[in-house]
Amino acid sequence: MNNAANSGFLLWLFIPGLWTVLLLAWAVVGALLGNRPLLHALALAVTLLGIAWCAVSIFWAGTATPQCPGGVPPWWPSFLPAPGL
């Protein structure tokens, strides 16, 4: 139940959400800076690095996923079966 539970979240929510945020940031910064290529490239690089750093710092605690006792998380209701866990 540990890292396998995160794969659906990453695949269906986080990655498309991150792409959307990056695309919007790219478009906004590009529209604000206009037609100055060097400044445009520098600002976009700083923006992308900042967004990537924020996303990594939010979702990465620097530790491994804690193990669940018996393969079932403590918050899982006991009346619901957890097959294969």
Side-chain angles (χ1 to χ4, degrees):
M1 195 68 187
N2 293 326
N3 287 333
N6 292 332
S7 63
F9 166 74
L10 289 172
L11 186 62
W12 298 109
L13 295 175
F14 179 71
I15 294 174
L18 182 62
W19 274 86
T20 302
V21 169
L22 290 173
L23 180 65
L24 289 174
W26 183 279
V28 167
V29 171
L32 290 175
L33 292 179
N35 194 16
R36 291 177 287 229
L38 186 58
L39 183 62
H40 192 231
L42 179 65
L44 286 175
V46 168
T47 302
L48 291 176
L49 287 173
I51 289 173
W53 179 78
C54 288
V56 168
S57 66
I58 288 171
F59 291 102
W60 179 52
T63 60
T65 305
Q67 296 294 323
C68 296
V72 179
W75 50 264
W76 190 264
S78 60
F79 60 89
L80 289 175
L85 299 176

